[in-house]
Amino acid sequence: MDRYGASLAWAAFDLQRRLFNILNGHDIDQDPARGDGFLTGFLTWGNPREADFVRRSTVFVLAEYLGWVEILRRDVQFLDLGRSRVNAQVMKQISRIGNSLARIDAVSNELRLLSAQQRAIGELMVHPDGEPGRRRCLGYAEFCSKLENDPEFAAWFTDPLADVDGLAADAGPAVGRLKDLQVQLVALIDLLDPRRERFPQFRLAYSPRDRPRR
């Protein structure tokens, strides 16, 4: 956990921050006097280059998080889960996040990935030049290159990329699911960085009563 905890925490932080931007952007969109929200500003009114960057980077932070989860799962034999209460809590929280990401909703399924899809995307994001204890994820440039040049790789991301456009059109139905996912990610960050040494300025965007029980 010492080796991979920081990378997992940063990946969780980047994903929850993007979810917060989407949620906060939806709130802004509800008040015309405040202008355009995050996705609306870039995907609806932005230029094609900006729209493509936001679309890809949103899917990338989701995929990168799943990549680090897969790396942790592959090297889990290095974790003494029986003796470490924190390590066991981390693995349980990762499971909660996976369940939240796979949750079927009656009104919105944007960015929903079933367990097998989560595993597959995580596997694709693990860099091939690695070994137990020294693994890493694809970087953003490598991710974009594979989207453009590897049809089998790109096929796994067709739906998530389209989902970002759907959220730009109307994120309202997805608010409940995305808010739950964001709060669950924050709970994971709290476990990985309890003293807020890596994220000293980070604060939970929602009320403490919204935070999940551990």
Side-chain angles (χ1 to χ4, degrees):
M1 190 62 74
D2 288 341
R3 182 175 297 278
Y4 292 139
S7 296
L8 179 63
W10 275 109
F13 178 80
D14 288 342
L15 177 55
Q16 71 79 30
R17 181 170 55 183
R18 180 55 56 93
L19 292 173
F20 172 75
N21 286 341
I22 293 171
L23 292 164
N24 186 55
H26 172 69
D27 290 341
I28 292 174
D29 287 338
Q30 305 314 296
D31 182 0
R34 299 175 66 188
D36 298 316
F38 177 73
L39 289 183
T40 303
F42 285 105
L43 271 74
T44 303
W45 305 114
N47 61 51
R49 183 176 181 181
E50 292 174 333
D52 192 50
F53 170 74
V54 170
R55 186 182 299 110
R56 289 186 175 189
S57 62
T58 298
V59 174
F60 170 75
V61 294
L62 172 59
E64 184 186 35
Y65 167 77
L66 294 175
W68 281 110
V69 170
E70 178 63 22
I71 286 173
L72 198 63
R73 182 181 288 111
R74 290 185 183 187
D75 290 1
V76 73
Q77 64 266 28
F78 295 112
L79 299 181
D80 187 356
L81 299 181
R83 297 182 181 180
S84 172
R85 182 179 61 87
V86 173
N87 285 354
Q89 287 181 321
V90 166
M91 299 308 292
K92 288 179 181 179
Q93 188 59 33
I94 287 173
S95 179
R96 294 188 187 103
I97 292 169
N99 291 337
S100 180
L101 190 55
R103 188 181 107 194
I104 297 175
D105 191 280
V107 295
S108 169
N109 287 315
E110 284 84 2
L111 298 182
R112 176 172 68 89
L113 295 170
L114 300 179
S115 297
Q117 292 173 302
Q118 295 177 36
R119 286 294 307 271
I121 288 176
E123 291 168 4
L124 291 170
M125 290 298 294
V126 178
H127 200 285
D129 297 335
E131 59 186 22
R134 295 183 179 276
R135 303 190 201 274
R136 61 188 177 94
C137 283
L138 297 177
Y140 180 65
E142 293 169 308
F143 172 78
C144 291
S145 178
K146 278 185 164 291
L147 281 182
E148 296 168 4
N149 300 305
D150 186 340
E152 292 185 4
F153 179 90
W156 286 97
F157 299 96
T158 300
D159 289 343
L161 289 167
D163 286 346
V164 179
D165 288 319
L167 291 171
D170 183 12
V175 165
R177 286 181 55 253
L178 299 186
K179 178 178 177 180
D180 176 67
L181 181 58
Q182 194 260 355
V183 172
Q184 295 286 356
L185 287 162
V186 169
L188 176 61
I189 295 169
D190 285 345
L191 288 171
L192 293 168
D193 185 33
R195 298 180 181 178
R196 296 186 176 182
E197 295 172 339
R198 298 188 181 101
F199 311 103
Q201 298 178 338
F202 175 67
R203 295 293 183 272
L204 183 61
Y206 299 107
S207 168
R209 65 175 177 272
D210 292 329
R211 301 177 73 166
R213 294 181 180 178
R214 295 176 186 164

